[in-house]
PDB file of all heavy atoms in Angstrom:
ATOM      1  N   GLY J 489     171.485  53.572  41.687  1.00 61.00           N
ATOM      2  CA  GLY J 489     172.011  53.470  42.914  1.00 61.00           C
ATOM      3  C   GLY J 489     171.680  54.712  43.778  1.00 61.00           C
ATOM      4  O   GLY J 489     171.202  54.776  44.930  1.00 61.00           O
ATOM      5  N   ALA J 490     172.016  55.815  43.052  1.00 58.00           N
ATOM      6  CA  ALA J 490     171.761  57.194  43.774  1.00 58.00           C
ATOM      7  C   ALA J 490     170.329  57.288  44.298  1.00 58.00           C
ATOM      8  O   ALA J 490     170.115  57.730  45.402  1.00 58.00           O
ATOM      9  CB  ALA J 490     172.098  58.289  42.751  1.00 58.00           C
ATOM     10  N   SER J 491     169.432  56.960  43.404  1.00 51.00           N
ATOM     11  CA  SER J 491     168.022  57.151  43.825  1.00 51.00           C
ATOM     12  C   SER J 491     167.531  56.192  44.879  1.00 51.00           C
ATOM     13  O   SER J 491     166.668  56.430  45.605  1.00 51.00           O
ATOM     14  CB  SER J 491     167.119  57.256  42.662  1.00 51.00           C
ATOM     15  OG  SER J 491     167.451  56.418  41.656  1.00 51.00           O
ATOM     16  N   THR J 492     168.264  55.055  45.061  1.00 45.00           N
ATOM     17  CA  THR J 492     167.809  54.156  46.135  1.00 45.00           C
ATOM     18  C   THR J 492     168.329  54.609  47.423  1.00 45.00           C
ATOM     19  O   THR J 492     167.762  54.560  48.444  1.00 45.00           O
ATOM     20  CB  THR J 492     168.193  52.687  45.861  1.00 45.00           C
ATOM     21  OG1 THR J 492     169.373  52.685  45.141  1.00 45.00           O
ATOM     22  CG2 THR J 492     167.092  51.906  45.213  1.00 45.00           C
ATOM     23  N   GLU J 493     169.589  55.054  47.364  1.00 41.00           N
ATOM     24  CA  GLU J 493     170.233  55.453  48.636  1.00 41.00           C
ATOM     25  C   GLU J 493     169.591  56.709  49.277  1.00 41.00           C
ATOM     26  O   GLU J 493     169.301  56.810  50.395  1.00 41.00           O
ATOM     27  CB  GLU J 493     171.723  55.976  48.364  1.00 41.00           C
ATOM     28  CG  GLU J 493     172.596  54.788  48.338  1.00 41.00           C
ATOM     29  CD  GLU J 493     173.841  55.117  47.498  1.00 41.00           C
ATOM     30  OE1 GLU J 493     174.304  56.374  47.652  1.00 41.00           O
ATOM     31  OE2 GLU J 493     174.575  54.246  46.945  1.00 41.00           O
ATOM     32  N   GLU J 494     169.292  57.581  48.329  1.00 39.00           N
ATOM     33  CA  GLU J 494     168.671  58.910  48.833  1.00 39.00           C
ATOM     34  C   GLU J 494     167.267  58.852  48.798  1.00 39.00           C
ATOM     35  O   GLU J 494     166.732  59.500  47.679  1.00 39.00           O
ATOM     36  CB  GLU J 494     169.421  60.102  48.199  1.00 39.00           C
ATOM     37  CG  GLU J 494     170.774  60.115  48.329  1.00 39.00           C
ATOM     38  CD  GLU J 494     171.568  61.050  47.371  1.00 39.00           C
ATOM     39  OE1 GLU J 494     171.004  62.205  47.268  1.00 39.00           O
ATOM     40  OE2 GLU J 494     172.447  60.629  46.630  1.00 39.00           O
ATOM     41  N   THR J 495     166.557  58.376  49.682  1.00 37.00           N
ATOM     42  CA  THR J 495     165.001  58.467  49.675  1.00 37.00           C
ATOM     43  C   THR J 495     164.615  59.302  50.821  1.00 37.00           C
ATOM     44  O   THR J 495     165.219  59.216  51.833  1.00 37.00           O
ATOM     45  CB  THR J 495     164.404  57.064  49.820  1.00 37.00           C
ATOM     46  OG1 THR J 495     165.196  56.321  50.768  1.00 37.00           O
ATOM     47  CG2 THR J 495     164.507  56.265  48.493  1.00 37.00           C
ATOM     48  N   PRO J 496     163.629  60.098  50.607  1.00 37.00           N
ATOM     49  CA  PRO J 496     162.968  60.453  49.373  1.00 37.00           C
ATOM     50  C   PRO J 496     163.954  61.143  48.444  1.00 37.00           C
ATOM     51  O   PRO J 496     164.853  61.675  48.918  1.00 37.00           O
ATOM     52  CB  PRO J 496     161.897  61.439  49.842  1.00 37.00           C
ATOM     53  CG  PRO J 496     162.453  62.055  51.066  1.00 37.00           C
ATOM     54  CD  PRO J 496     163.312  60.989  51.739  1.00 37.00           C
ATOM     55  N   PRO J 497     163.639  60.975  47.126  1.00 38.00           N
ATOM     56  CA  PRO J 497     164.586  61.281  45.984  1.00 38.00           C
ATOM     57  C   PRO J 497     165.032  62.795  46.280  1.00 38.00           C
ATOM     58  O   PRO J 497     164.294  63.611  46.590  1.00 38.00           O
ATOM     59  CB  PRO J 497     163.708  61.177  44.720  1.00 38.00           C
ATOM     60  CG  PRO J 497     162.562  60.179  45.158  1.00 38.00           C
ATOM     61  CD  PRO J 497     162.314  60.429  46.605  1.00 38.00           C
ATOM     62  N   PRO J 498     166.254  62.950  46.029  1.00 37.00           N
ATOM     63  CA  PRO J 498     166.864  64.281  46.087  1.00 37.00           C
ATOM     64  C   PRO J 498     166.507  65.149  44.913  1.00 37.00           C
ATOM     65  O   PRO J 498     165.851  64.677  43.983  1.00 37.00           O
ATOM     66  CB  PRO J 498     168.425  63.906  46.010  1.00 37.00           C
ATOM     67  CG  PRO J 498     168.395  62.645  45.093  1.00 37.00           C
ATOM     68  CD  PRO J 498     167.087  61.961  45.202  1.00 37.00           C
ATOM     69  N   PRO J 499     166.813  66.424  44.991  1.00 38.00           N
ATOM     70  CA  PRO J 499     166.534  67.379  44.009  1.00 38.00           C
ATOM     71  C   PRO J 499     167.187  66.757  42.709  1.00 38.00           C
ATOM     72  O   PRO J 499     168.313  66.116  42.887  1.00 38.00           O
ATOM     73  CB  PRO J 499     167.041  68.675  44.416  1.00 38.00           C
ATOM     74  CG  PRO J 499     167.963  68.382  45.548  1.00 38.00           C
ATOM     75  CD  PRO J 499     167.354  67.165  46.203  1.00 38.00           C
ATOM     76  N   PRO J 500     166.749  66.984  41.479  1.00 40.00           N
ATOM     77  CA  PRO J 500     167.262  66.424  40.376  1.00 40.00           C
ATOM     78  C   PRO J 500     168.851  66.529  40.126  1.00 40.00           C
ATOM     79  O   PRO J 500     169.401  65.547  39.697  1.00 40.00           O
ATOM     80  CB  PRO J 500     166.592  67.285  39.196  1.00 40.00           C
ATOM     81  CG  PRO J 500     165.613  68.129  39.809  1.00 40.00           C
ATOM     82  CD  PRO J 500     165.606  67.898  41.257  1.00 40.00           C
TER      83      PRO J 500
END
Side-chain angles (χ1 to χ4, degrees):
Chain J
S491 33
T492 32
E493 278 160 28
E494 302 167 49
T495 42

